[in-house]
Amino acid sequence: MLQKPVLSDLGDFGHDRYRGSGSQLSNDLEHLLAAARRQWKVVAVSIAVAIALGIAYVATAVPLYTASIHILVGQLDSKLLEQIADTGPSAGGDDSAMQSEVELFKSEEIRGRVVDLLELTKDPRFYAPDGSPIDNLRGMIRSLLDVEAWFSSAEVDGKPDEEAKRFRAIEKLGWNSSVERVGRARVISLNYTSPSPELAADVARAFGEAYLADQVQSKFEAVQAASGWLEKRVQDLKKRALESDLAVQQFRAKNDLIATNGVLVTEQNLSQLNTRLVDAQAETAQAQARFDRIQSIIAAGDTDAIVTDALDSSLVNQLRGKYLEAAKREAEISSQLGSGHIGARRLREEMAEYRKQIFSELGRISESYQSDLQVAKLREESIRNSVTAATSVTATTNSTMVELRELERTAETYRAMYESSLQLYQEAVQRQSFPVTDARVITQAKVPNFPSHPRSSLIMALAIVLGGAVGVGIGAFREFRDRFFRTADQIRDELGLEHLGNVPMVIGGDTKKTSDEENFPHARALYKPNPISSFALDHPHSEFADTLWTAWFTVDMALANRRPRVVGIVSLLPSEGKSTVAINYAEITAKLGIRTLLIDADLRNPGLTRAVAGHAEYGLVDLVLGRQTMKDLLFISPATKLAMLPACGAGYRGHTAELLASAGMTQAIEQASGFFEQIVIDLPPMGLVRDARAMAPKIDAFILVVEWGKTARQALRTTLASEPAIAERCVGVILNKVDSDKMKLYGSFGTSEYYQSRYKHYHDTGLTS
């Protein structure tokens, strides 16, 4: 099996080992930038077309003018109607109410008012074209297809259908107007657009007038309906209030529930008795305290103790004075004459008499206190009995009071409802006589001085954006559909083969003989009318030559110990340039002094033979069939002594694949191996032709030629997978017919294509522009 060259190993090492995940984002960015460089012309053309269309639209569009009016909407909820309905503000709040007003502005009712107010069905300005020719054409087509509109606009009894015209005017008002809320404010903005600035201002003002008139009318109708309902409601509540008050009075009279100042008589009596009972208890306690005090004084015999009634008694005061005077004199006599003196004894006897009289008088006062205490107790007991009786009566009426209170609450409720409804009815009557609206115009519509459409800057900016988007989309689609080989990385990643180099697109010069052919006029000489057949020889420093030298070095390393070497030049499809590569490769190796034989094995389409040996009559077929000897069939290059065996065979009609796989072909190669060191075979395409497969066992190494930007990756990968004999012996791939100007657009940072422009001084292109 063929040993893989060192270059392939180095390529795998360089692409896999150092390809880390950290550089994935950078690689993706490089790929995007490269794609942008490749597709920028598509994007530019798309933008240019979009700009042209935008300019055409701006140039042909009819200028439109927009007038605006701002209306401040007041308190949106009706307090009167809410009170009537016994509900609060709507659950949606201010936002939903404002949205309702916006929808009211857009309604057919308001637009119909505007149509009637301005008589728009008779205004020619209203029906003037208001768009570009494209818009007008589209509208015309739509109207032609609208069969229903034909009948609606038909004439009845020779007169136009006014209702249909009015309906179309209302629709057109809706198309040309826009209504929106200004931020979070209670302000509604209406914009109307028309080819006539005066008409735009008139319609905007008419919208405001129609809205305000509708507000007044709606409020008048609502208040009128509320007044009628309230009038009936007031009469009903008045009757119910009177009936409930009468029921309360009848219930009081029936159950003897007499009240003064809103309080029952029994409750007032019970309250008064409770007050008197408290006073009686206080008096009894006071009388008991006086009686107890005087009893304690009498029991103690203390003449110095005094009670209030004793101080008020003149007798007690006289006796007490005499007692004190006698005590004073007794003390003096006793201190002077002794306590046993007769005067002192007589005075002590007088003091005892005075004391007896004093306590006798205190006893009388005590009896008086006892009498007051008995009276207080009796009075307290009497009042207590009265309280008990009144409490019993009150308890008996409490059960009746429950029903009375319920009747009073009902009467009070009807009375309050009647008063409230009466007040609302009076307010409704006043509003009905003078209906007003809370909405007002805060910015009146003015005649616009400048058109609002077309907005040239916006349209051009939009055209550029859309053109760029379309261009990017087309470019992305082109990139997605680009399934061909264009870079070395694609060769390595898709096929697992080494990239040997690029062969630029070469444009041949004039068809004429070379100087060598003129100096070597021989019938067996190779004739090269097209300079491309010897391009590598004529331009040894070109990229073409460098690629072929790389291919030769790779083959030399892969087949280092093998002599002779059989190298097959193969491609997937016809016209990929394999024959040109084959003859140039054979020429440069022959120039090194290596005895080289070039065989054109493409028997079905011998392009190489036609290019350099078109005058040959016999060739490979005759050699394999044994008709001719190799010596008689070879053609020689005068410049390099390259031997070439053309693909000719007089009268052969057999299968080419069988011929190439035959023993005769094997013998031909063995015969050539005895003289030549290298045999280069130009093989048929391996796509749908089995000739290359039949020849594969006889080939030591394959060089695969792939046309840049034309050979599909999937097709080549599938073919190589089905041709293991060729894939295993393939030393590398040459990208042929490379467009150097476009090639640089496919290079990302770090790739050979990225640095290709730096080598322009190292290569002699030799290209004819």
Side-chain angles (χ1 to χ4, degrees):
M1 183 177 291
L2 177 66
Q3 180 182 0
K4 284 290 183 180
V6 179
L7 281 177
S8 178
D9 296 338
L10 290 176
D12 293 341
F13 180 83
H15 282 80
D16 295 332
R17 179 173 178 179
Y18 292 105
R19 187 176 297 172
S21 59
S23 63
Q24 184 63 38
L25 179 60
S26 177
N27 291 336
D28 293 341
L29 181 60
E30 288 291 337
H31 292 158
L32 289 177
L33 293 176
R37 290 195 300 270
R38 292 191 293 270
Q39 303 298 333
W40 73 269
K41 290 184 179 179
V42 175
V43 177
V45 170
S46 298
I47 293 176
V49 172
I51 291 176
L53 292 177
I55 294 174
Y57 179 81
V58 171
T60 58
V62 176
L64 301 179
Y65 298 84
T66 301
S68 301
I69 186 173
H70 292 75
I71 295 181
L72 175 64
V73 180
Q75 188 67 24
L76 298 177
D77 55 324
S78 176
K79 181 178 179 181
L80 174 62
L81 297 180
E82 285 179 7
Q83 290 177 342
I84 292 174
D86 196 19
T87 60
S90 60
D94 188 67
D95 288 339
S96 61
M98 286 299 298
Q99 186 61 36
S100 301
E101 295 299 313
V102 170
E103 294 301 323
L104 175 61
F105 244 117
K106 298 178 182 179
S107 65
E108 290 188 7
E109 179 68 23
I110 299 297
R111 285 182 280 156
R113 287 175 179 265
V114 174
V115 171
D116 298 337
L117 182 63
L118 298 180
E119 297 183 351
L120 294 179
T121 57
K122 303 177 182 179
D123 194 338
R125 299 175 302 172
F126 183 71
Y127 294 99
D130 56 358
S132 65
I134 299 176
D135 295 334
N136 296 332
L137 179 61
R138 186 174 63 248
M140 185 183 302
I141 295 174
R142 185 172 61 234
S143 62
L144 292 175
L145 296 178
D146 189 0
V147 180
E148 203 176 300
W150 296 356
F151 294 98
S152 64
S153 61
E155 294 187 359
V156 180
D157 296 332
K159 297 182 180 180
D161 188 352
E162 295 296 335
E163 288 299 325
K165 293 178 65 176
R166 184 175 183 273
F167 175 75
R168 289 189 176 278
I170 291 174
E171 281 190 335
K172 188 169 183 178
L173 277 181
W175 297 337
N176 296 337
S177 62
S178 63
V179 184
E180 61 183 3
R181 181 183 180 183
V182 180
R184 303 290 296 174
R186 289 178 173 270
V187 177
I188 296 177
S189 172
L190 179 135
N191 303 317
Y192 185 78
T193 303
S194 172
S196 171
E198 293 80 9
L199 180 63
D202 292 342
V203 172
R205 297 191 195 103
F207 262 105
E209 295 175 8
Y211 174 76
L212 296 179
D214 181 80
Q215 290 287 299
V216 172
Q217 181 66 24
S218 62
K219 285 196 174 185
F220 176 79
E221 293 175 355
V223 172
Q224 188 178 26
S227 300
W229 182 85
L230 280 173
E231 185 176 5
K232 297 179 181 179
R233 182 67 171 168
V234 166
Q235 296 298 328
D236 181 65
L237 290 176
K238 180 179 179 181
K239 179 180 179 182
R240 289 176 181 270
L242 291 175
E243 291 176 352
S244 61
D245 286 340
L246 181 60
V248 170
Q249 298 302 326
Q250 291 175 350
F251 186 83
R252 287 180 179 275
K254 179 180 178 181
N255 295 278
D256 196 21
L257 299 176
I258 307 301
T260 58
N261 296 327
V263 182
L264 293 176
V265 174
T266 55
E267 293 180 352
Q268 294 179 358
N269 186 27
L270 178 61
S271 177
Q272 293 174 0
L273 288 176
N274 284 327
T275 302
R276 291 173 58 189
L277 177 60
V278 172
D279 294 341
Q281 289 175 343
E283 291 178 2
T284 301
Q286 185 177 8
Q288 184 67 47
R290 288 198 305 267
F291 178 74
D292 293 341
R293 174 60 179 168
I294 198 169
Q295 287 295 321
S296 63
I297 292 173
I298 294 173
D302 186 3
T303 57
D304 293 332
I306 299 176
V307 294
T308 302
D309 289 343
L311 294 176
D312 297 335
S313 175
S314 59
L315 178 59
V316 173
N317 289 331
Q318 290 177 3
L319 291 176
R320 182 177 177 79
K322 290 179 180 182
Y323 176 82
L324 293 176
E325 181 64 26
K328 179 180 178 181
R329 291 173 56 194
E330 189 276 333
E332 292 177 351
I333 292 174
S334 295
S335 62
Q336 294 177 1
L337 300 178
S339 58
H341 189 271
I342 186 171
R345 289 198 298 272
R346 190 176 63 249
L347 288 173
R348 283 195 288 273
E349 290 176 356
E350 290 179 2
M351 290 172 61
E353 183 64 22
Y354 290 150
R355 183 173 182 176
K356 179 179 178 182
Q357 292 179 0
I358 288 173
F359 279 98
S360 176
E361 184 64 22
L362 289 177
R364 188 185 61 81
I365 293 174
S366 174
E367 291 177 357
S368 175
Y369 282 178
Q370 185 177 13
S371 176
D372 292 339
L373 176 61
Q374 293 297 328
V375 172
K377 289 182 177 181
L378 291 174
R379 180 170 176 272
E380 177 184 357
E381 185 66 22
S382 175
I383 295 173
R384 189 184 303 279
N385 293 334
S386 299
V387 168
T388 301
T391 301
S392 177
V393 173
T394 302
T396 303
T397 59
N398 281 339
S399 57
T400 308
M401 288 298 296
V402 174
E403 186 176 355
L404 175 63
R405 292 191 186 97
E406 180 64 26
L407 292 175
E408 289 177 343
R409 281 194 296 268
T410 302
E412 184 64 27
T413 300
Y414 280 119
R415 189 181 305 112
M417 292 175 62
Y418 169 69
E419 294 174 356
S420 177
S421 298
L422 181 61
Q423 183 179 359
L424 289 176
Y425 174 70
Q426 293 174 352
E427 293 179 3
V429 172
Q430 293 177 359
R431 292 190 183 188
Q432 185 176 358
S433 61
F434 186 64
V436 295
T437 177
D438 295 332
R440 60 191 179 93
V441 177
I442 60 176
T443 302
Q444 188 58 270
K446 299 179 181 179
V447 178
N449 297 322
F450 302 98
S452 60
H453 176 83
R455 301 174 62 181
S456 302
S457 57
L458 178 61
I459 291 175
M460 298 311 298
L462 185 61
I464 293 174
V465 172
L466 292 179
V470 172
V472 170
I474 296 175
F477 179 76
R478 285 166 55 105
E479 288 291 321
F480 178 76
R481 292 294 301 170
D482 189 1
R483 310 293 178 84
F484 312 110
F485 286 100
R486 296 186 184 274
T487 64
D489 286 342
Q490 292 174 345
I491 296 294
R492 299 185 184 97
D493 296 340
E494 297 285 341
L495 305 178
L497 299 176
E498 182 57 43
H499 174 244
L500 301 178
N502 299 328
V503 175
M505 174 70 72
V506 178
I507 301 176
D510 297 333
T511 303
K512 59 182 180 179
K513 291 185 178 181
T514 64
S515 57
D516 289 339
E517 292 165 348
E518 293 174 352
N519 296 330
F520 191 75
H522 193 279
R524 310 301 297 179
L526 293 178
Y527 178 71
K528 301 178 182 177
N530 195 336
I532 196 173
S533 300
S534 58
F535 189 88
L537 289 178
D538 298 338
H539 304 281
H541 299 294
S542 64
E543 187 178 2
F544 193 167
D546 284 349
T547 298
L548 295 181
W549 282 118
T550 301
W552 182 83
F553 290 140
T554 304
V555 172
D556 187 61
M557 286 186 289
L559 305 175
N561 300 322
R562 183 170 300 179
R563 290 292 187 276
R565 303 168 181 173
V566 181
V567 179
I569 309 298
V570 69
S571 65
L572 175 66
L573 304 172
S575 302
E576 291 195 66
K578 62 178 178 58
S579 298
T580 301
V581 172
I583 189 171
N584 280 273
Y585 175 80
E587 287 276 19
I588 64 170
T589 56
K591 189 174 182 180
L592 290 177
I594 301 173
R595 295 189 301 275
T596 303
L597 172 63
L598 175 61
I599 300 176
D600 185 3
D602 192 354
L603 302 178
R604 301 191 187 190
N605 184 24
L608 178 59
T609 300
R610 289 194 298 266
V612 298
H615 54 292
E617 297 180 359
Y618 302 98
L620 179 61
V621 175
D622 299 296
L623 177 63
V624 174
L625 296 177
R627 299 173 182 175
Q628 299 283 342
T629 63
M630 183 174 294
K631 181 179 180 181
D632 298 330
L633 298 175
L634 294 180
F635 285 74
I636 307 299
S637 173
T640 61
K641 302 299 186 285
L642 169 68
M644 188 263 184
L645 179 62
C648 295
Y652 181 73
R653 295 295 184 268
H655 294 288
T656 55
E658 296 177 357
L659 181 68
L660 294 176
S662 65
M665 186 65 190
T666 304
Q667 293 175 1
I669 293 177
E670 291 177 353
Q671 181 182 353
S673 300
F675 179 77
F676 296 101
E677 298 176 286
Q678 179 175 249
I679 301 174
V680 179
I681 303 178
D682 181 17
L683 294 169
M686 60 178 179
L688 300 178
V689 181
R690 56 195 179 101
D691 294 12
R693 182 188 305 175
M695 192 70 180
K698 302 175 175 60
I699 307 299
D700 297 326
F702 287 91
I703 295 176
L704 180 60
V705 177
V706 175
E707 184 175 0
W708 184 86
K710 293 293 181 65
T711 303
R713 299 195 293 268
Q714 176 66 27
L716 184 55
R717 185 169 60 248
T718 304
T719 302
L720 287 177
S722 63
E723 301 288 350
I726 297 176
E728 292 174 358
R729 294 186 177 93
C730 186
V731 297
V733 178
I734 293 177
L735 280 176
N736 192 28
K737 301 181 183 181
V738 175
D739 189 335
S740 300
D741 294 334
K742 294 182 179 179
M743 183 66 177
K744 60 185 179 182
L745 301 178
Y746 289 88
S748 57
F749 183 79
T751 62
S752 58
E753 295 82 7
Y754 183 82
Y755 298 105
Q756 184 177 5
S757 60
R758 296 194 179 187
Y759 291 89
K760 62 181 179 179
H761 299 297
Y762 286 81
H763 291 143
D764 176 18
T765 59
L767 303 180
T768 302
S769 59

